[in-house]
């Protein structure tokens, strides 16, 4: 596990790479991420054969660009892929032809609102070709000359050079709890030369992983699975090839666009009032934030995790919108380490409660002899907890989770959990996992 001076410094390592659905630079990105993940997390890169079925989709081919440029008649080069991978439409078909401006124009893309920038445009499945350039450059192109368009690209289907995603799992103290299951944290790796979307979410997730490894969740908590890969299709490929994992998932958090200076925005689960929603709301209510519906813009892999046939409750955390989105202005200059770390902190607080929560179920009858069992709380030391003892004990019927008990008695989750743990240590309550079907209620 490599040390780092800042999250922005990690992002700087893979920011300039040609990251797309499947490419050599995407492979390098996954390797860089792995070098910073905790050694104990068993970081693993998986490879899938191109064109294999992935539910209703298929595994994308590897995209290789040998050369790509646009020249004006006479030799002046307008754009060149070797200078910036944004200069071509992602997954452009190979082309080598001479065109008039009128023939070329439908294949040129720019951003009207930010005319000095190169836009990021992708056509993974349309199978078209194109160049991206600043509007300021487009406006100066001569209309009466011919243009030489060259894109030397390949779509590689060799299974050994397949489509890749990566996972890592961090367990609680004492190891994995089969009954508790897992919560999954996801971030994207496939947006070339985009810092906030999507590199920021990746480094915030790395910070989160390292925190959970350094200070593990309490014994019996959920394990935390981290996933890195291409947007949407990556999650579809991963889950369609690892369906046994789905039944073990109890929740999800998708993280992206965490580095700009906007406030945190969180998107509800598809269930909207799920326990994960309530815990997230409890955490973010302590600071300024935006609250949004499930899959509201920008919608991402929560549509897979929390979508048809999977439906694992999943929230999303981001700082969208921002003006630089999908342009060359989405670069390291707009990244802020405090924002990157702040997003990791928010996700950590949510996970520490959600993953450690359980249903306490009594084994005793009648009021517990508190002082005789070391369970009395002196009112002079903690008045609020002293007043709540009876209310807490009355809620050990196996119907409410620790978080819900804390909600109902109006006390801090960790205070209530620490107190209930004393009952558990005495054998007066058992810790029952929150079943996935109950979480979906």
């Amino acid at each position: 596990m490599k040390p780092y001076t800042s999250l922005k410094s990690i992002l700087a390592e893979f920011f300039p790479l040609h990251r797309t659905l499947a490419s050599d630079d995407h492979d390098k990105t996954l390797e860089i991420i792995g070098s910073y993940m905790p050694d104990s997390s068993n970081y693993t890169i998986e490879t899938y054969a191109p064109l294999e079925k992935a539910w209703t989709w298929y595994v994308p081919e590897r995209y290789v660009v040998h050369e790509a440029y646009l020249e004006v008649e006479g030799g002046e080069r307008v754009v060149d892929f070797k200078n910036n991978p944004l200069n071509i439409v992602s997954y452009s078909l190979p082309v080598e032809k001479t065109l008039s401006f009128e023939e070329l124009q439908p294949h040129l893309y720019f951003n009207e609102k930010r005319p000095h920038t190169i836009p990021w445009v992708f056509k993974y499945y349309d199978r078209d070709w194109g160049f991206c350039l600043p509007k300021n450059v487009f406006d100066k192109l001569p209309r009466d000359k011919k243009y030489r368009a060259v894109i030397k690209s390949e779509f590689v289907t060799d299974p050994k050079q397949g489509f890749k995603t990566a996972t890592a799992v961090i367990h609680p103290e004492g190891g994995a709890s089969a009954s508790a299951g897992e919560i999954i944290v996801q971030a994207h790796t496939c947006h070339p030369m985009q810092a906030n979307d999507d590199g920021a979410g990746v480094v915030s997730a790395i910070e989160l992983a390292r925190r959970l490894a350094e200070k593990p969740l309490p014994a019996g908590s959920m394990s935390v699975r981290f996933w890195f890969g291409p947007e949407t299709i990556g999650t579809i490929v991963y889950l369609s090839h690892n369906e046994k994992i789905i039944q073990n998932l109890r929740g999800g958090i998708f993280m992206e666009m965490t580095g700009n200076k906007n406030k945190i925005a969180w998107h509800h689960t598809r269930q909207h009032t799920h326990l994960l929603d309530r815990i997230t709301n409890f955490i973010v209510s302590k600071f300024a934030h935006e609250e949004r519906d499930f899959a509201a813009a920008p919608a991402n892999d929560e549509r897979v995790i929390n979508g048809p046939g999977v439906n694992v409750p999943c929230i999303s955390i981001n700082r969208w919108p921002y003006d630089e989105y999908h342009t060359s202005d989405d670069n390291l200059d707009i990244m802020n380490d405090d924002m990157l770390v702040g997003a990791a902190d928010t996700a950590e607080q949510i996970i520490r409660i959600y993953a450690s929560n359980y249903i306490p179920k009594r084994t005793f009858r009648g009021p517990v002899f508190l002082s005789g069992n070391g369970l009395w709380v002196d009112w002079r030391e903690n008045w609020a907890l002293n007043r709540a003892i009876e209310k807490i004990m009355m809620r050990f019927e196996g119907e409410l989770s620790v978080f819900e008990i804390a909600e109902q008695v109006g006390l801090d989750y960790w205070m209530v959990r620490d107190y209930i743990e004393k009952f558990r240590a005495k054998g007066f309550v058992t810790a029952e996992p929150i079943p996935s079907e109950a979480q979906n209620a």
Side-chain angles (χ1 to χ4, degrees):
M1 180 174 68
K2 288 168 59 177
Y4 57 87
T5 56
S6 67
L7 293 182
K8 188 173 177 179
S9 70
I10 301 176
L11 178 51
E13 286 190 43
F14 62 83
F15 166 71
L17 299 179
H18 178 221
R19 294 173 283 127
T20 188
L21 299 186
S23 64
D24 291 349
D25 277 359
H26 182 261
D27 294 355
K28 292 177 185 176
T29 300
L30 293 181
E31 290 167 3
I32 291 168
I33 293 168
S35 71
Y36 288 100
M37 288 292 284
D39 296 335
S40 61
S41 67
N42 191 30
Y43 183 85
T44 304
I45 297 174
E46 298 183 8
T47 304
Y48 306 95
L51 304 182
E52 276 188 351
K53 286 284 289 182
W55 292 338
T56 64
W57 298 61
Y58 63 86
V59 179
E61 309 97 311
R62 175 171 293 261
Y63 187 56
V64 179
V65 181
H66 299 286
E67 188 178 30
Y69 59 86
L70 177 66
E71 288 181 343
V72 184
E73 182 182 19
E76 179 189 354
R77 193 158 290 193
V78 178
V79 296
D80 195 330
F81 175 81
K82 70 181 180 183
N83 296 329
N84 193 320
L86 294 180
N87 276 143
I88 66 167
V89 172
S90 290
Y91 270 64
S92 280
L93 292 169
V95 63
E96 189 167 355
K97 58 176 64 176
T98 301
L99 307 131
S100 67
F101 181 82
E102 289 72 22
E103 293 170 321
L104 173 65
Q105 187 170 357
H107 298 280
L108 299 182
Y109 298 86
F110 49 81
N111 188 300
E112 290 275 8
K113 293 182 179 179
R114 301 183 78 79
H116 62 285
T117 65
I118 304 169
W120 176 47
V121 179
F122 53 92
K123 291 183 180 290
Y124 301 136
Y125 308 106
D126 289 352
R127 294 301 155 95
D128 198 353
W129 63 272
F131 293 96
C132 302
L133 69 170
K135 174 72 161 51
N136 292 344
V137 173
F138 172 84
D139 289 342
K140 295 177 181 178
L141 293 178
R143 271 51 175 172
D144 58 348
K145 291 190 176 182
K146 296 285 188 179
Y147 291 81
R148 178 74 172 162
V150 176
I151 299 176
K152 296 181 180 180
S153 60
E154 285 184 75
F155 296 82
V156 179
T157 58
D158 179 0
K160 295 179 181 178
Q161 300 184 62
F163 178 87
K164 297 187 178 184
T165 67
T167 57
V169 182
I170 297 176
H171 297 300
E173 291 179 348
S177 169
S179 60
E182 298 180 345
I183 181 170
I184 189 168
V185 176
Q186 294 191 283
H188 289 157
T189 52
C190 61
H191 295 10
M193 293 288 282
Q194 301 290 282
N196 203 35
D197 178 24
D198 50 10
V202 170
V203 296
S204 291
I206 290 172
E207 170 72 9
L208 172 60
R210 290 171 74 122
R211 290 183 181 195
L212 293 172
E214 290 166 8
K215 184 183 177 183
L217 291 165
S221 298
M222 299 174 192
S223 295
V224 184
R225 180 174 294 272
F226 288 83
W227 180 94
F228 303 96
E231 181 176 358
T232 306
I233 185 59
T235 302
I236 290 170
V237 169
Y238 174 70
L239 290 181
S240 68
H241 285 73
N242 296 277
E243 291 194 355
K244 64 182 184 297
I245 288 173
I246 296 173
Q247 63 187 7
N248 206 35
L249 295 177
R250 300 291 183 265
I253 299 178
F254 178 76
M255 300 180 71
E256 69 170 347
M257 308 181 202
T258 56
N260 57 309
K261 290 188 176 180
N262 289 354
K263 64 184 73 170
I264 284 282
W266 76 279
H267 297 230
H268 278 267
T269 68
R270 186 180 179 193
Q271 289 77 6
H272 197 79
T273 56
H274 185 270
L275 185 59
L276 182 55
D277 296 279
R278 287 154 53 198
I279 290 173
T280 301
N281 186 63
F282 170 74
I283 295 300
V284 302
S285 64
K286 301 170 187 175
F287 52 80
H289 66 277
E290 295 282 344
E291 181 177 348
R292 297 172 185 155
D293 288 336
F294 173 74
N300 288 283
D301 287 43
E302 67 272 17
R303 297 170 302 163
V304 183
I305 295 292
N306 211 164
V310 182
N311 205 27
V312 172
C314 185
I315 63 164
S316 176
I317 294 175
N318 59 68
R319 299 186 189 277
W320 190 85
Y322 61 104
D323 293 339
E324 300 86 357
Y325 179 67
H326 280 197
T327 73
S328 53
D329 276 350
D330 187 346
N331 55 43
L332 296 172
D333 292 342
I334 68 169
M335 291 296 91
N336 184 292
D337 250 286
D338 289 344
M339 300 293 103
L340 295 167
V341 172
D345 183 63
T346 298
E348 180 189 12
Q349 291 183 63
I350 294 167
I351 287 172
R352 288 200 180 276
I353 293 179
Y354 186 73
S356 67
N357 192 30
Y358 62 86
I359 297 173
K361 187 173 182 178
R362 65 173 175 79
T363 61
F364 60 86
R365 288 182 176 177
V368 173
F369 182 16
L370 297 174
S371 59
N373 288 284
L375 296 170
W376 175 252
V377 177
D378 193 320
W379 60 269
R380 287 162 294 194
E381 296 177 5
N382 192 332
W383 170 264
L385 184 55
N386 173 278
R387 295 292 86 194
I389 291 175
E390 293 291 339
K391 296 176 183 177
I392 292 171
M393 282 195 297
M394 294 293 180
R395 288 165 170 79
F396 289 164
E397 296 302 314
E399 298 173 351
L400 298 174
S401 71
V402 176
F403 179 78
E404 290 166 316
I405 292 172
E407 271 189 319
Q408 291 189 9
V409 302
L411 295 180
D412 175 71
Y413 169 81
W414 292 108
M415 180 191 295
V416 173
R417 190 184 191 281
D418 288 346
Y419 186 57
I420 293 174
E421 282 289 287
K422 294 178 181 179
F423 280 79
R424 184 181 172 194
K426 293 287 183 179
F428 294 152
V429 299
T430 57
E432 304 297 318
I434 303 170
S436 56
E437 62 270 19
Q439 292 189 43
N440 287 322

